[in-house]
Amino acid sequence: AQSVAQPEDQVNVAEGNPLTVKCTYSVSGNPYLFWYVQYPNRGLQFLLKYITGDNLVKGSYGFEAEFNKSQTSFHLKKPSALVSDSALYFCAVRERGGFKTIFGAGTRLFVKA
Amino acid sequence: EAQVTQNPRYLITVTGKKLTVTCSQNMNHEYMSWYRQDPGLGLRQIYYSMNVEVTDKGDVPEGYKVSRKEKRNFPLILESPSPNQTSLYFCASSLDGRTANTEAFFGQGTRLTVV
């Protein structure tokens, strides 16, 4: 069965430190991979996506993600965290040629000043 | 401004009373979708629509109906709501459903409580 795993319910990091939010997936073929962020009382906002090519994808607000095909992972990273990055982050996967999108359970990021 | 608009934002209803949550997008997107968000489960897809008059079930379609009579609108219908449908609902749209132009734009969400 297709699935997306975000193994950490919460990630805590100090402001200015690098952050990583993990995502692994089990989807056939070479899927499209996405990261979204959700701020309180808001809908999800697109951060970045992987389609093909370079394994390091750059997105909005200084975020980037590293695709690793052998580990079927797509971890979200930022070199220097900000307090304003505190939010709920979702990894999502869509099979190429398919119409369904599968979301992970979400990881809450807490950045302490 | 490009946006996906859902209404209402908050709704409390009683078991069995039919309700509709509206969703409208102004970006001429072909693909629209409904999700429910529950703690610890993330977002689960309820129904999606590839274009006008074309819809299909997602992972949790039971108890829900949708229609796509116009490109911009994609209402979610609960014919006989039950307490297990208490959730946060999101509508989303994207340019199309299959190509790389598939990042989604989300509405603000509808918090539904069924008592």
Side-chain angles (χ1 to χ4, degrees), chain A residues 8 26 33 42-43 46 71 78 81 86 88 96 105 111:
Chain A
E8 300 151 319
S26 176
L33 305 167
R42 302 288 298 276
F46 169 76
Q71 297 183 2
K78 188 173 183 182
S86 299
L88 186 56
R96 285 176 197 256
V111 181

Side-chain angles (χ1 to χ4, degrees), chain A residues 63-94:
Chain A
F63 283 94
E64 55 192 26
E66 186 172 12
F67 169 65
N68 187 316
K69 186 173 183 179
S70 63
Q71 297 183 2
T72 60
S73 67
F74 190 55
H75 299 333
L76 182 69
K77 299 174 185 285
K78 188 173 183 182
S80 179
L82 300 172
V83 172
S84 57
D85 292 331
S86 299
L88 186 56
Y89 290 82
F90 290 97
C91 179
V93 178
R94 183 195 297 265

Side-chain angles (χ1 to χ4, degrees), chain B residues 5-19:
Chain B
T5 303
Q6 292 178 232
N7 280 296
R9 292 288 309 278
Y10 302 91
L11 179 60
I12 301 174
T13 189
V14 296
T15 299
K17 185 177 182 181
K18 181 179 178 180
L19 67 91

Side-chain angles (χ1 to χ4, degrees), chain A residues 5-69:
Chain A
Q6 293 182 241
E8 300 151 319
D9 291 335
Q10 182 164 314
V11 170
N12 299 308
V13 64
E15 189 173 34
N17 283 359
L19 69 88
T20 298
V21 182
K22 296 179 180 177
C23 173
T24 59
Y25 62 91
S26 176
V27 176
S28 60
N30 297 308
Y32 299 126
L33 305 167
F34 305 87
W35 276 101
Y36 292 88
V37 60
Q38 184 181 30
Y39 297 102
N41 300 314
R42 302 288 298 276
L44 279 71
Q45 298 176 31
F46 169 76
L47 275 180
L48 50 79
K49 65 182 177 183
Y50 175 81
I51 303 169
T52 188
D54 194 350
N55 289 344
L56 188 63
V57 178
K58 294 190 182 300
S60 306
Y61 312 122
F63 283 94
E64 55 192 26
E66 186 172 12
F67 169 65
N68 187 316
K69 186 173 183 179

